[in-house]
Amino acid sequence: MTQVEEHGRVPARRESPLSVAPVRIVVRYLSVLGERLLADTQVTGPAHSHIDLPWRVIRGYKLVRVENYAEVFQPVPGGIRMIYMAQKAAPVVVYHKNAEGNLIVPPQYVSGDLNATYHLHPLSGNPFPIIQAPPTDAGVFGTKSKSAQYVYDTLQLMRLPVDKQLLMRMNTAVRPFADPLAREALPTALPGGSTWPVYRAVVDRFSRAQWYDLGGGIWVKRTSQMTLLGRPLPMQPPELTPFRHRAEVVNHTQNAVSLFQFPRFGQAYKTIPSGTMISTTGLMADDQGRQWVALDSQLFISRWDLLLLD
């Protein structure tokens, strides 16, 4: 009778010490010259089980090969050796542009060690609003060059609406400028008491100063030395140049065309459909050089909205 039959149980199986003892493997991080770059790491696990190797990223170095590589735990004399080679990182090129795509300053180059983290920043002391920034302002230096772009709203001057009948009187002598961004005033002052027509106006977005174009390349910055005046409106148009024709009202972008009363050419009095046949009587130009055609109804239409038929 066997022992199983005699006692009714199976004796415990004795395991081999090799099947239960953990396997320890040393992982070393060395340069191609054999220099130790990081402290050794030891991994432990049951024999023949899968190894999760402790990969390391080392600043300024690139992993080029692994010696004594193993996928499962087994004795590895000398350990697993990860070999790295020193390598410079490619720079990150940063462009600072305006909305038109022009560079504000020369490209900036951000440099550092391979695998090191970099951070991007807009221009130092930047006075302009940023309208586009890189998707991320941080990253890791690699072997290939990267680029990033900041786009700024550099439009310093904004147009202001101006009444076409606006005048400006100089309360005292005022030295004008050639343009609103000029640093130095022109040598000849505008006499005190003189009155000038205003053709357009702008505001400096950053200083909030208002500038007025008085024509002929003369701009003045609004101060207490000057007063804005409304220009008296003439009640009758000037003598018209004879311009008697049959014409068709034509506008390729709108179905209706504006008609105006003299002298309010900035505000439509009524509209007529494109394609209407009309008769003209005279022609005049305003102080901005635009041509206006008088109709037999005493209203005016832009010369560009007419197709002459005779």
Side-chain angles (χ1 to χ4, degrees), residues 254-299:
Q254 302 179 52
N255 294 326
V257 176
S258 298
L259 299 181
F260 301 86
Q261 285 183 316
F262 179 87
R264 302 185 184 278
F265 293 126
Q267 181 178 359
Y269 175 74
K270 61 182 292 188
T271 61
I272 58 174
S274 180
T276 302
M277 308 301 294
I278 60 174
S279 297
T280 68
T281 60
L283 179 69
M284 65 164 287
D286 62 16
D287 55 4
Q288 298 186 28
R290 297 174 299 183
Q291 292 186 344
W292 299 96
V293 177
L295 309 182
D296 52 11
S297 62
Q298 305 301 313
L299 297 178

Side-chain angles (χ1 to χ4, degrees), residues 98-100 104 126-129 131 152-160 179-183 201-211 219 221:
N98 59 23
E100 289 72 41
I104 300 174
N126 163 51
F128 307 118
I131 57 179
Y152 304 83
D153 184 1
T154 59
L155 183 63
Q156 185 171 349
L157 301 176
M158 292 183 62
R159 192 81 175 259
L160 288 177
D179 64 72
L181 300 180
R183 296 187 177 183
V202 295
V203 60
D204 189 311
R205 295 175 58 192
F206 308 117
S207 68
R208 309 309 299 172
Q210 294 182 6
W211 291 84
W219 289 79
K221 179 181 177 181

Side-chain angles (χ1 to χ4, degrees), residues 219-256:
W219 289 79
V220 292
K221 179 181 177 181
R222 186 177 184 182
T223 67
S224 59
Q225 294 177 287
M226 55 201 69
T227 302
L228 289 173
L229 305 171
R231 184 186 307 176
L233 294 177
M235 299 309 297
Q236 297 295 327
E239 184 176 352
L240 302 178
T241 301
F243 193 76
R244 296 186 178 278
H245 295 277
R246 289 178 59 252
E248 179 183 355
V249 176
V250 176
N251 191 299
H252 298 290
T253 60
Q254 302 179 52
N255 294 326

Side-chain angles (χ1 to χ4, degrees), residues 82-99:
M82 296 192 179
I83 309 301
Y84 294 79
M85 180 175 64
Q87 185 169 350
K88 292 184 178 181
V92 179
V93 186
V94 184
Y95 300 98
H96 300 277
K97 298 182 178 181
N98 59 23

